[in-house]
Amino acid sequence: MEVIIKQTYEEMSRAAAHDVARLLNTKPNAVLGMATGSTPLGMYQELVRMHREEGLDFSQVTTFNLDEYVSLPVSHPQSYHYFMQENFFKHVNVPKQNTYIPSGTTSNYQAFCAWFERRIEECGGIDLQILGIGSDGHVAFNEPGSSLSSRTRLKTLAKQTIEDNARFFERREDVPIYAITMGVGTILEARRLLLVANGKNKAWACAAAIEGPITGMVTASALQMHARAKVFLDDAAASELKMREYYDWIEERRPGAPQV
Ligand code: F6R
């Protein structure tokens, strides 16, 4: 796993966005896996800036989102459909028909999940999956105890996730209890993984995911099994890493390192 630590959230977001842009510049029809939540906002803003100012082109891109709350209509301001539209899609030129987000309102979740998995395959698989991490170590909504080979499915949110996400809703009772989420197994099939995390409240989860044992209790630790996983952290999120000095040393040496 490559661990890249930047001093600030802004620097971390820019570095992650540049990684995505590099992929689009070499593969304009890339399939991107998208995450929502507050962490990737800065990265999306930088991608939008690159689209406006530098002509970064999304016209051949296909996107698959990780998850969606069950029961929220797409027009609900806290739905991930709404989030993606407001924070990214409406500012770039991804064709609408190329964007896939799990449905939180389907009448048949099982059939929808199977279709979603099939659609990823039919589009050639995900080239780069963007991920955040929950304070309990979850990726997507794969809460502690999830199978590391799980597929897209309905999932009950953990109490900690409901607490964490209550900040976006008027009342805690309004936070949905269920979500539809890509599984850990689905995520691990992406050709590359890119996780972003910032803030002190993510420090424990980042340390557990990056340096702890691989366990279904911290589903982000499954990234250790992926050959091409990159993690972008700010200083606070990196504060509990034991190998911090080594990660910084690697970054310092990078300009002179042999090209792979
Ligand atoms: C969102 C998602 C979640 C978030 C995680 C962190 O699509 O998959 O796993 O990445 O809950 O959320 P924030 O960034 O709001 O702290």
Side-chain angles (χ1 to χ4, degrees):
M1 192 185 305
E2 257 183 77
V3 182
I4 296 155
I5 303 160
K6 300 288 179 189
Q7 275 308 306
T8 65
Y9 173 72
E10 289 71 25
E11 284 174 77
M12 176 206 85
S13 302
R14 273 198 300 274
H18 282 258
D19 208 278
V20 177
R22 263 195 302 278
L23 168 67
L24 298 188
N25 288 330
T26 52
K27 187 174 182 189
N29 62 347
V31 178
L32 293 181
M34 312 302 274
T36 54
S38 42
T39 315
L41 278 174
M43 186 190 67
Y44 289 143
Q45 276 158 17
E46 177 63 7
L47 285 170
V48 169
R49 188 201 64 73
M50 283 191 263
H51 170 67
R52 285 198 182 130
E53 295 175 14
E54 296 163 16
L56 183 64
D57 182 31
F58 293 84
S59 64
Q60 298 176 62
V61 165
T62 299
T63 64
F64 284 92
N65 264 77
L66 285 169
D67 41 20
E68 177 58 289
Y69 289 118
V70 162
S71 78
L72 295 191
V74 297
S75 58
H76 190 289
Q78 297 312 329
S79 79
Y80 289 164
H81 280 77
Y82 190 92
F83 175 102
M84 287 309 295
Q85 190 54 30
E86 288 304 303
N87 294 300
F88 192 61
F89 293 149
K90 82 175 190 194
H91 306 289
V92 297
N93 61 337
V94 189
K96 177 138 185 55
Q97 68 274 17
N98 289 7
T99 63
Y100 298 91
I101 304 179
S103 167
T105 53
T106 173
S107 55
N108 186 338
Y109 283 98
Q110 224 175 345
F112 181 86
C113 292
W115 174 82
F116 193 78
E117 289 269 343
R118 227 173 22 249
R119 211 53 213 121
I120 294 176
E121 245 181 78
E122 288 163 358
C123 292
I126 293 172
D127 288 300
L128 176 65
Q129 176 65 57
I130 296 159
L131 299 162
I133 184 170
S135 64
D136 63 1
H138 68 221
V139 271
F141 277 135
N142 294 289
E143 298 288 26
S146 293
S147 158
L148 297 185
S149 21
S150 50
R151 311 301 306 188
T152 303
R153 68 206 184 291
L154 200 71
K155 191 76 194 158
T156 307
L157 299 183
K159 284 193 180 150
Q160 191 171 332
T161 302
I162 293 174
E163 290 296 338
D164 286 348
N165 291 359
R167 69 189 192 278
F168 298 116
F169 291 80
E170 258 173 45
R171 297 170 313 158
R172 188 190 176 285
E173 306 80 77
D174 296 338
V175 186
I177 292 169
Y178 303 100
I180 180 166
T181 179
M182 273 190 211
V184 183
T186 321
I187 292 168
L188 289 178
E189 279 173 13
R191 284 183 270 282
R192 283 182 54 205
L193 304 179
L194 185 164
L195 185 142
V196 279
N198 71 294
K200 184 83 189 114
N201 67 325
K202 298 292 175 69
W204 174 85
C206 289
I210 297 166
E211 297 177 339
I214 297 171
T215 167
M217 295 309 289
V218 177
T219 53
S221 66
L223 266 69
Q224 295 177 37
M225 297 194 291
H226 198 287
R228 298 190 71 197
K230 247 189 213 184
V231 176
F232 290 91
L233 307 177
D234 76 348
D235 191 57
S239 59
E240 290 185 31
L241 291 174
K242 290 196 187 68
M243 303 280 285
R244 167 79 195 254
E245 250 181 61
Y246 180 52
Y247 308 132
D248 287 342
W249 164 253
I250 294 172
E251 272 311 289
E252 277 165 35
R253 315 307 299 175
R254 195 178 294 281
Q259 293 298 307
V260 283

